[in-house]
PDB file of all heavy atoms in Angstrom:
ATOM      1  N   ILE A 146      42.664 -26.490-109.602  1.00  0.00           N
ATOM      2  CA  ILE A 146      42.180 -27.841-109.909  1.00  0.00           C
ATOM      3  C   ILE A 146      40.781 -27.658-110.483  1.00  0.00           C
ATOM      4  O   ILE A 146      39.923 -27.023-109.850  1.00  0.00           O
ATOM      5  CB  ILE A 146      42.145 -28.702-108.624  1.00  0.00           C
ATOM      6  CG1 ILE A 146      43.554 -28.790-108.019  1.00  0.00           C
ATOM      7  CG2 ILE A 146      41.597 -30.107-108.920  1.00  0.00           C
ATOM      8  CD1 ILE A 146      43.570 -29.098-106.541  1.00  0.00           C
ATOM      9  N   THR A 147      40.544 -28.190-111.694  1.00  0.00           N
ATOM     10  CA  THR A 147      39.325 -27.797-112.415  1.00  0.00           C
ATOM     11  C   THR A 147      38.513 -29.009-112.893  1.00  0.00           C
ATOM     12  O   THR A 147      39.044 -30.100-113.041  1.00  0.00           O
ATOM     13  CB  THR A 147      39.690 -26.875-113.602  1.00  0.00           C
ATOM     14  OG1 THR A 147      40.664 -27.527-114.419  1.00  0.00           O
ATOM     15  CG2 THR A 147      40.251 -25.552-113.110  1.00  0.00           C
ATOM     16  N   PRO A 148      37.200 -28.790-113.183  1.00  0.00           N
ATOM     17  CA  PRO A 148      36.298 -29.885-113.552  1.00  0.00           C
ATOM     18  C   PRO A 148      36.248 -30.104-115.068  1.00  0.00           C
ATOM     19  O   PRO A 148      36.766 -29.286-115.841  1.00  0.00           O
ATOM     20  CB  PRO A 148      34.951 -29.369-113.058  1.00  0.00           C
ATOM     21  CG  PRO A 148      35.041 -27.898-113.297  1.00  0.00           C
ATOM     22  CD  PRO A 148      36.469 -27.504-113.073  1.00  0.00           C
ATOM     23  N   PHE A 149      35.550 -31.175-115.461  1.00  0.00           N
ATOM     24  CA  PHE A 149      35.493 -31.523-116.885  1.00  0.00           C
ATOM     25  C   PHE A 149      34.525 -30.645-117.665  1.00  0.00           C
ATOM     26  O   PHE A 149      34.631 -30.532-118.886  1.00  0.00           O
ATOM     27  CB  PHE A 149      35.074 -33.001-117.042  1.00  0.00           C
ATOM     28  CG  PHE A 149      33.589 -33.217-116.940  1.00  0.00           C
ATOM     29  CD1 PHE A 149      32.758 -33.054-118.049  1.00  0.00           C
ATOM     30  CD2 PHE A 149      32.996 -33.542-115.724  1.00  0.00           C
ATOM     31  CE1 PHE A 149      31.381 -33.229-117.946  1.00  0.00           C
ATOM     32  CE2 PHE A 149      31.621 -33.720-115.616  1.00  0.00           C
ATOM     33  CZ  PHE A 149      30.809 -33.559-116.732  1.00  0.00           C
ATOM     34  N   ASN A 150      33.541 -30.019-116.978  1.00  0.00           N
ATOM     35  CA  ASN A 150      32.406 -29.510-117.759  1.00  0.00           C
ATOM     36  C   ASN A 150      32.675 -28.183-118.465  1.00  0.00           C
ATOM     37  O   ASN A 150      31.984 -27.864-119.424  1.00  0.00           O
ATOM     38  CB  ASN A 150      31.133 -29.441-116.898  1.00  0.00           C
ATOM     39  CG  ASN A 150      31.228 -28.441-115.779  1.00  0.00           C
ATOM     40  OD1 ASN A 150      32.286 -28.299-115.172  1.00  0.00           O
ATOM     41  ND2 ASN A 150      30.147 -27.758-115.512  1.00  0.00           N
ATOM     42  N   TRP A 158      39.227 -18.777-115.568  1.00  0.00           N
ATOM     43  CA  TRP A 158      38.774 -18.019-114.385  1.00  0.00           C
ATOM     44  C   TRP A 158      39.968 -17.784-113.448  1.00  0.00           C
ATOM     45  O   TRP A 158      39.967 -16.830-112.680  1.00  0.00           O
ATOM     46  CB  TRP A 158      37.766 -18.821-113.561  1.00  0.00           C
ATOM     47  CG  TRP A 158      36.389 -18.954-114.094  1.00  0.00           C
ATOM     48  CD1 TRP A 158      35.878 -18.484-115.275  1.00  0.00           C
ATOM     49  CD2 TRP A 158      35.308 -19.644-113.438  1.00  0.00           C
ATOM     50  NE1 TRP A 158      34.560 -18.850-115.380  1.00  0.00           N
ATOM     51  CE2 TRP A 158      34.179 -19.551-114.284  1.00  0.00           C
ATOM     52  CE3 TRP A 158      35.194 -20.321-112.232  1.00  0.00           C
ATOM     53  CZ2 TRP A 158      32.946 -20.113-113.936  1.00  0.00           C
ATOM     54  CZ3 TRP A 158      33.974 -20.879-111.897  1.00  0.00           C
ATOM     55  CH2 TRP A 158      32.862 -20.780-112.745  1.00  0.00           C
ATOM     56  N   LYS A 173      45.894 -28.238-112.536  1.00  0.00           N
ATOM     57  CA  LYS A 173      45.564 -29.668-112.684  1.00  0.00           C
ATOM     58  C   LYS A 173      44.143 -29.725-113.248  1.00  0.00           C
ATOM     59  O   LYS A 173      43.174 -29.703-112.509  1.00  0.00           O
ATOM     60  CB  LYS A 173      45.641 -30.352-111.305  1.00  0.00           C
ATOM     61  CG  LYS A 173      45.983 -31.837-111.322  1.00  0.00           C
ATOM     62  CD  LYS A 173      45.024 -32.701-112.083  1.00  0.00           C
ATOM     63  CE  LYS A 173      43.712 -32.961-111.437  1.00  0.00           C
ATOM     64  NZ  LYS A 173      42.726 -33.594-112.341  1.00  0.00           N
ATOM     65  N   PRO A 174      44.016 -29.785-114.591  1.00  0.00           N
ATOM     66  CA  PRO A 174      42.677 -29.794-115.184  1.00  0.00           C
ATOM     67  C   PRO A 174      42.037 -31.170-115.071  1.00  0.00           C
ATOM     68  O   PRO A 174      42.643 -32.118-114.558  1.00  0.00           O
ATOM     69  CB  PRO A 174      42.949 -29.445-116.649  1.00  0.00           C
ATOM     70  CG  PRO A 174      44.337 -29.899-116.900  1.00  0.00           C
ATOM     71  CD  PRO A 174      45.077 -29.859-115.587  1.00  0.00           C
ATOM     72  N   SER A 175      40.823 -31.292-115.607  1.00  0.00           N
ATOM     73  CA  SER A 175      40.151 -32.601-115.575  1.00  0.00           C
ATOM     74  C   SER A 175      40.850 -33.561-116.523  1.00  0.00           C
ATOM     75  O   SER A 175      41.124 -33.227-117.681  1.00  0.00           O
ATOM     76  CB  SER A 175      38.690 -32.458-115.977  1.00  0.00           C
ATOM     77  OG  SER A 175      38.122 -33.754-116.097  1.00  0.00           O
ATOM     78  N   GLU A 176      41.086 -34.769-116.045  1.00  0.00           N
ATOM     79  CA  GLU A 176      41.740 -35.795-116.858  1.00  0.00           C
ATOM     80  C   GLU A 176      40.804 -36.345-117.929  1.00  0.00           C
ATOM     81  O   GLU A 176      41.216 -37.104-118.793  1.00  0.00           O
ATOM     82  CB  GLU A 176      42.263 -36.918-115.947  1.00  0.00           C
ATOM     83  CG  GLU A 176      41.206 -37.713-115.181  1.00  0.00           C
ATOM     84  CD  GLU A 176      40.696 -37.026-113.890  1.00  0.00           C
ATOM     85  OE1 GLU A 176      40.709 -35.782-113.816  1.00  0.00           O
ATOM     86  OE2 GLU A 176      40.255 -37.755-112.978  1.00  0.00           O
ATOM     87  N   ARG A 177      39.496 -35.937-117.867  1.00  0.00           N
ATOM     88  CA  ARG A 177      38.559 -36.507-118.828  1.00  0.00           C
ATOM     89  C   ARG A 177      38.569 -35.766-120.168  1.00  0.00           C
ATOM     90  O   ARG A 177      38.222 -36.334-121.188  1.00  0.00           O
ATOM     91  CB  ARG A 177      37.146 -36.521-118.227  1.00  0.00           C
ATOM     92  CG  ARG A 177      37.038 -37.626-117.179  1.00  0.00           C
ATOM     93  CD  ARG A 177      35.643 -37.731-116.641  1.00  0.00           C
ATOM     94  NE  ARG A 177      35.513 -37.008-115.397  1.00  0.00           N
ATOM     95  CZ  ARG A 177      34.395 -36.894-114.714  1.00  0.00           C
ATOM     96  NH1 ARG A 177      33.299 -37.425-115.157  1.00  0.00           N
ATOM     97  NH2 ARG A 177      34.367 -36.222-113.579  1.00  0.00           N
ATOM     98  N   GLY A 204      46.205 -35.438-114.265  1.00  0.00           N
ATOM     99  CA  GLY A 204      46.310 -36.472-113.247  1.00  0.00           C
ATOM    100  C   GLY A 204      45.054 -36.628-112.443  1.00  0.00           C
ATOM    101  O   GLY A 204      44.013 -36.040-112.751  1.00  0.00           O
ATOM    102  N   LYS A 206      43.874 -38.209-108.169  1.00  0.00           N
ATOM    103  CA  LYS A 206      44.036 -37.885-106.748  1.00  0.00           C
ATOM    104  C   LYS A 206      45.516 -37.738-106.342  1.00  0.00           C
ATOM    105  O   LYS A 206      45.860 -36.881-105.537  1.00  0.00           O
ATOM    106  CB  LYS A 206      43.342 -38.979-105.921  1.00  0.00           C
ATOM    107  CG  LYS A 206      43.335 -38.717-104.435  1.00  0.00           C
ATOM    108  CD  LYS A 206      42.387 -39.675-103.738  1.00  0.00           C
ATOM    109  CE  LYS A 206      42.612 -39.724-102.242  1.00  0.00           C
ATOM    110  NZ  LYS A 206      42.602 -38.440-101.586  1.00  0.00           N
ATOM    111  N   VAL A 209      46.591 -34.291-107.216  1.00  0.00           N
ATOM    112  CA  VAL A 209      45.914 -33.298-106.369  1.00  0.00           C
ATOM    113  C   VAL A 209      46.513 -33.309-104.962  1.00  0.00           C
ATOM    114  O   VAL A 209      46.825 -32.252-104.386  1.00  0.00           O
ATOM    115  CB  VAL A 209      44.390 -33.581-106.337  1.00  0.00           C
ATOM    116  CG1 VAL A 209      43.702 -32.717-105.295  1.00  0.00           C
ATOM    117  CG2 VAL A 209      43.781 -33.347-107.710  1.00  0.00           C
ATOM    118  N   PHE A 223      39.804 -24.336-106.393  1.00  0.00           N
ATOM    119  CA  PHE A 223      39.202 -25.591-106.862  1.00  0.00           C
ATOM    120  C   PHE A 223      37.806 -25.311-107.384  1.00  0.00           C
ATOM    121  O   PHE A 223      37.055 -24.529-106.795  1.00  0.00           O
ATOM    122  CB  PHE A 223      39.122 -26.609-105.714  1.00  0.00           C
ATOM    123  CG  PHE A 223      38.351 -27.851-106.080  1.00  0.00           C
ATOM    124  CD1 PHE A 223      38.989 -28.927-106.686  1.00  0.00           C
ATOM    125  CD2 PHE A 223      36.982 -27.944-105.846  1.00  0.00           C
ATOM    126  CE1 PHE A 223      38.279 -30.072-107.055  1.00  0.00           C
ATOM    127  CE2 PHE A 223      36.260 -29.093-106.203  1.00  0.00           C
ATOM    128  CZ  PHE A 223      36.914 -30.155-106.805  1.00  0.00           C
ATOM    129  N   VAL A 224      37.438 -26.010-108.470  1.00  0.00           N
ATOM    130  CA  VAL A 224      36.043 -26.043-108.928  1.00  0.00           C
ATOM    131  C   VAL A 224      35.723 -27.490-109.275  1.00  0.00           C
ATOM    132  O   VAL A 224      36.470 -28.133-110.023  1.00  0.00           O
ATOM    133  CB  VAL A 224      35.825 -25.138-110.161  1.00  0.00           C
ATOM    134  CG1 VAL A 224      34.390 -25.266-110.672  1.00  0.00           C
ATOM    135  CG2 VAL A 224      36.117 -23.681-109.823  1.00  0.00           C
ATOM    136  N   GLY A 225      34.627 -28.016-108.740  1.00  0.00           N
ATOM    137  CA  GLY A 225      34.237 -29.404-109.016  1.00  0.00           C
ATOM    138  C   GLY A 225      33.047 -29.778-108.163  1.00  0.00           C
ATOM    139  O   GLY A 225      32.253 -28.920-107.773  1.00  0.00           O
ATOM    140  N   SER A 226      32.923 -31.046-107.849  1.00  0.00           N
ATOM    141  CA  SER A 226      31.756 -31.515-107.094  1.00  0.00           C
ATOM    142  C   SER A 226      31.926 -31.211-105.599  1.00  0.00           C
ATOM    143  O   SER A 226      33.048 -31.048-105.106  1.00  0.00           O
ATOM    144  CB  SER A 226      31.578 -33.014-107.315  1.00  0.00           C
ATOM    145  OG  SER A 226      32.714 -33.695-106.849  1.00  0.00           O
ATOM    146  N   ILE A 229      34.313 -33.437-103.248  1.00  0.00           N
ATOM    147  CA  ILE A 229      35.751 -33.189-103.467  1.00  0.00           C
ATOM    148  C   ILE A 229      36.100 -31.766-103.012  1.00  0.00           C
ATOM    149  O   ILE A 229      37.163 -31.534-102.421  1.00  0.00           O
ATOM    150  CB  ILE A 229      36.143 -33.413-104.949  1.00  0.00           C
ATOM    151  CG1 ILE A 229      35.629 -34.761-105.461  1.00  0.00           C
ATOM    152  CG2 ILE A 229      37.657 -33.332-105.123  1.00  0.00           C
ATOM    153  CD1 ILE A 229      36.176 -35.990-104.780  1.00  0.00           C
ATOM    154  N   TYR A 232      36.651 -31.900 -99.380  1.00  0.00           N
ATOM    155  CA  TYR A 232      37.941 -32.553 -99.099  1.00  0.00           C
ATOM    156  C   TYR A 232      39.102 -31.573 -99.342  1.00  0.00           C
ATOM    157  O   TYR A 232      40.000 -31.420 -98.500  1.00  0.00           O
ATOM    158  CB  TYR A 232      38.070 -33.790-100.002  1.00  0.00           C
ATOM    159  CG  TYR A 232      39.447 -34.396-100.017  1.00  0.00           C
ATOM    160  CD1 TYR A 232      39.920 -35.143 -98.937  1.00  0.00           C
ATOM    161  CD2 TYR A 232      40.297 -34.232-101.123  1.00  0.00           C
ATOM    162  CE1 TYR A 232      41.194 -35.698 -98.957  1.00  0.00           C
ATOM    163  CE2 TYR A 232      41.560 -34.786-101.154  1.00  0.00           C
ATOM    164  CZ  TYR A 232      42.016 -35.513-100.070  1.00  0.00           C
ATOM    165  OH  TYR A 232      43.273 -36.061-100.084  1.00  0.00           O
ATOM    166  N   LEU A 247      34.896 -24.295-105.026  1.00  0.00           N
ATOM    167  CA  LEU A 247      33.521 -24.169-105.518  1.00  0.00           C
ATOM    168  C   LEU A 247      32.971 -25.556-105.819  1.00  0.00           C
ATOM    169  O   LEU A 247      33.651 -26.361-106.472  1.00  0.00           O
ATOM    170  CB  LEU A 247      33.491 -23.306-106.793  1.00  0.00           C
ATOM    171  CG  LEU A 247      33.619 -21.796-106.587  1.00  0.00           C
ATOM    172  CD1 LEU A 247      35.034 -21.403-106.189  1.00  0.00           C
ATOM    173  CD2 LEU A 247      33.208 -21.040-107.843  1.00  0.00           C
ATOM    174  N   GLY A 248      31.754 -25.833-105.342  1.00  0.00           N
ATOM    175  CA  GLY A 248      31.196 -27.176-105.456  1.00  0.00           C
ATOM    176  C   GLY A 248      29.984 -27.262-106.364  1.00  0.00           C
ATOM    177  O   GLY A 248      29.796 -26.452-107.264  1.00  0.00           O
ATOM    178  N   GLY A 249      29.156 -28.245-106.098  1.00  0.00           N
ATOM    179  CA  GLY A 249      28.024 -28.562-106.958  1.00  0.00           C
ATOM    180  C   GLY A 249      26.810 -27.684-106.708  1.00  0.00           C
ATOM    181  O   GLY A 249      26.874 -26.696-105.955  1.00  0.00           O
ATOM    182  N   ALA A 250      25.697 -28.061-107.328  1.00  0.00           N
ATOM    183  CA  ALA A 250      24.540 -27.173-107.320  1.00  0.00           C
ATOM    184  C   ALA A 250      23.252 -27.926-107.605  1.00  0.00           C
ATOM    185  O   ALA A 250      23.269 -29.040-108.128  1.00  0.00           O
ATOM    186  CB  ALA A 250      24.729 -26.098-108.396  1.00  0.00           C
ATOM    187  N   CYS A 281      27.169 -26.193-113.834  1.00  0.00           N
ATOM    188  CA  CYS A 281      26.889 -25.972-112.417  1.00  0.00           C
ATOM    189  C   CYS A 281      25.802 -24.914-112.241  1.00  0.00           C
ATOM    190  O   CYS A 281      25.281 -24.743-111.153  1.00  0.00           O
ATOM    191  CB  CYS A 281      28.146 -25.531-111.686  1.00  0.00           C
ATOM    192  SG  CYS A 281      28.716 -23.943-112.258  1.00  0.00           S
ATOM    193  N   GLU A 383      22.278 -33.460-107.083  1.00  0.00           N
ATOM    194  CA  GLU A 383      22.693 -32.876-108.365  1.00  0.00           C
ATOM    195  C   GLU A 383      22.830 -34.027-109.359  1.00  0.00           C
ATOM    196  O   GLU A 383      23.688 -34.893-109.201  1.00  0.00           O
ATOM    197  CB  GLU A 383      24.044 -32.164-108.205  1.00  0.00           C
ATOM    198  CG  GLU A 383      24.518 -31.534-109.504  1.00  0.00           C
ATOM    199  CD  GLU A 383      25.907 -30.912-109.407  1.00  0.00           C
ATOM    200  OE1 GLU A 383      26.823 -31.565-108.871  1.00  0.00           O
ATOM    201  OE2 GLU A 383      26.078 -29.775-109.878  1.00  0.00           O
ATOM    202  N   PHE A 385      23.280 -33.693-112.790  1.00  0.00           N
ATOM    203  CA  PHE A 385      24.263 -33.318-113.807  1.00  0.00           C
ATOM    204  C   PHE A 385      23.963 -34.028-115.132  1.00  0.00           C
ATOM    205  O   PHE A 385      24.826 -34.648-115.753  1.00  0.00           O
ATOM    206  CB  PHE A 385      25.690 -33.615-113.333  1.00  0.00           C
ATOM    207  CG  PHE A 385      26.623 -32.458-113.587  1.00  0.00           C
ATOM    208  CD1 PHE A 385      26.316 -31.189-113.132  1.00  0.00           C
ATOM    209  CD2 PHE A 385      27.808 -32.632-114.286  1.00  0.00           C
ATOM    210  CE1 PHE A 385      27.160 -30.107-113.363  1.00  0.00           C
ATOM    211  CE2 PHE A 385      28.664 -31.561-114.535  1.00  0.00           C
ATOM    212  CZ  PHE A 385      28.331 -30.306-114.072  1.00  0.00           C
ATOM    213  N   ASN A 411      23.849 -22.266-105.333  1.00  0.00           N
ATOM    214  CA  ASN A 411      24.683 -21.677-106.389  1.00  0.00           C
ATOM    215  C   ASN A 411      23.928 -20.586-107.152  1.00  0.00           C
ATOM    216  O   ASN A 411      24.203 -19.407-107.016  1.00  0.00           O
ATOM    217  CB  ASN A 411      25.165 -22.786-107.326  1.00  0.00           C
ATOM    218  CG  ASN A 411      26.568 -22.543-107.844  1.00  0.00           C
ATOM    219  OD1 ASN A 411      27.418 -22.075-107.089  1.00  0.00           O
ATOM    220  ND2 ASN A 411      26.816 -22.858-109.092  1.00  0.00           N
ATOM    221  N   PHE A 450      32.152 -14.799-109.174  1.00  0.00           N
ATOM    222  CA  PHE A 450      31.261 -15.949-109.307  1.00  0.00           C
ATOM    223  C   PHE A 450      31.363 -16.814-108.064  1.00  0.00           C
ATOM    224  O   PHE A 450      32.437 -17.321-107.740  1.00  0.00           O
ATOM    225  CB  PHE A 450      31.689 -16.765-110.528  1.00  0.00           C
ATOM    226  CG  PHE A 450      30.848 -17.980-110.813  1.00  0.00           C
ATOM    227  CD1 PHE A 450      30.007 -18.024-111.923  1.00  0.00           C
ATOM    228  CD2 PHE A 450      30.895 -19.096-109.995  1.00  0.00           C
ATOM    229  CE1 PHE A 450      29.238 -19.143-112.200  1.00  0.00           C
ATOM    230  CE2 PHE A 450      30.122 -20.224-110.265  1.00  0.00           C
ATOM    231  CZ  PHE A 450      29.296 -20.240-111.374  1.00  0.00           C
ATOM    232  N   SER A 456      27.768 -24.925-101.887  1.00  0.00           N
ATOM    233  CA  SER A 456      28.255 -24.689-103.246  1.00  0.00           C
ATOM    234  C   SER A 456      29.586 -23.936-103.247  1.00  0.00           C
ATOM    235  O   SER A 456      30.188 -23.756-104.317  1.00  0.00           O
ATOM    236  CB  SER A 456      27.220 -23.910-104.063  1.00  0.00           C
ATOM    237  OG  SER A 456      26.065 -24.703-104.270  1.00  0.00           O
TER     238      SER A 456
HETATM  239  P1  NAD B   1      34.977 -33.695-109.751  1.00  0.00           P
HETATM  240  O1  NAD B   1      34.799 -33.181-108.378  1.00  0.00           O
HETATM  241  O2  NAD B   1      34.808 -35.142-109.993  1.00  0.00           O
HETATM  242  O3  NAD B   1      36.446 -33.331-110.297  1.00  0.00           O
HETATM  243  C1  NAD B   1      36.965 -32.025-110.195  1.00  0.00           C
HETATM  244  C2  NAD B   1      38.485 -32.116-110.105  1.00  0.00           C
HETATM  245  O4  NAD B   1      38.825 -32.830-108.918  1.00  0.00           O
HETATM  246  C3  NAD B   1      39.128 -32.853-111.267  1.00  0.00           C
HETATM  247  O5  NAD B   1      40.308 -32.188-111.648  1.00  0.00           O
HETATM  248  C4  NAD B   1      39.414 -34.225-110.696  1.00  0.00           C
HETATM  249  O6  NAD B   1      40.559 -34.840-111.273  1.00  0.00           O
HETATM  250  C5  NAD B   1      39.674 -33.943-109.228  1.00  0.00           C
HETATM  251  N1  NAD B   1      39.290 -35.064-108.365  1.00  0.00           N
HETATM  252  C6  NAD B   1      38.305 -35.965-108.589  1.00  0.00           C
HETATM  253  N2  NAD B   1      38.258 -36.855-107.572  1.00  0.00           N
HETATM  254  C7  NAD B   1      39.225 -36.510-106.699  1.00  0.00           C
HETATM  255  C8  NAD B   1      39.662 -37.051-105.450  1.00  0.00           C
HETATM  256  N3  NAD B   1      39.088 -38.128-104.908  1.00  0.00           N
HETATM  257  N4  NAD B   1      40.678 -36.446-104.814  1.00  0.00           N
HETATM  258  C9  NAD B   1      41.263 -35.358-105.348  1.00  0.00           C
HETATM  259  N5  NAD B   1      40.896 -34.802-106.528  1.00  0.00           N
HETATM  260  C10 NAD B   1      39.887 -35.368-107.196  1.00  0.00           C
HETATM  261  O7  NAD B   1      33.987 -32.843-110.687  1.00  0.00           O
HETATM  262  P2  NAD B   1      33.665 -33.066-112.228  1.00  0.00           P
HETATM  263  O8  NAD B   1      32.819 -34.269-112.380  1.00  0.00           O
HETATM  264  O9  NAD B   1      34.891 -32.928-113.052  1.00  0.00           O
HETATM  265  O10 NAD B   1      32.787 -31.750-112.517  1.00  0.00           O
HETATM  266  C11 NAD B   1      31.410 -31.668-112.268  1.00  0.00           C
HETATM  267  C12 NAD B   1      31.115 -31.028-110.932  1.00  0.00           C
HETATM  268  O11 NAD B   1      31.720 -29.746-110.867  1.00  0.00           O
HETATM  269  C13 NAD B   1      29.637 -30.793-110.698  1.00  0.00           C
HETATM  270  O12 NAD B   1      29.335 -31.109-109.369  1.00  0.00           O
HETATM  271  C14 NAD B   1      29.466 -29.308-110.949  1.00  0.00           C
HETATM  272  O13 NAD B   1      28.378 -28.704-110.290  1.00  0.00           O
HETATM  273  C15 NAD B   1      30.753 -28.790-110.426  1.00  0.00           C
HETATM  274  N6  NAD B   1      31.058 -27.480-110.968  1.00  0.00           N
HETATM  275  C16 NAD B   1      30.919 -26.415-110.137  1.00  0.00           C
HETATM  276  C17 NAD B   1      31.162 -25.155-110.631  1.00  0.00           C
HETATM  277  C18 NAD B   1      31.007 -23.952-109.752  1.00  0.00           C
HETATM  278  O14 NAD B   1      31.437 -22.899-110.148  1.00  0.00           O
HETATM  279  N7  NAD B   1      30.439 -24.068-108.564  1.00  0.00           N
HETATM  280  C19 NAD B   1      31.544 -24.970-111.970  1.00  0.00           C
HETATM  281  C20 NAD B   1      31.692 -26.089-112.777  1.00  0.00           C
HETATM  282  C21 NAD B   1      31.442 -27.349-112.260  1.00  0.00           C
END
Side-chain angles (χ1 to χ4, degrees):
I146 301 157
T147 54
F149 81 84
N150 66 322
W158 285 2
K173 208 301 286 169
S175 173
E176 64 279 28
R177 286 184 263 178
K206 185 168 164 53
V209 171
F223 172 87
V224 176
S226 61
I229 310 297
Y232 169 75
L247 283 72
C281 65
E383 180 185 47
F385 227 53
N411 216 39
F450 181 110
S456 293

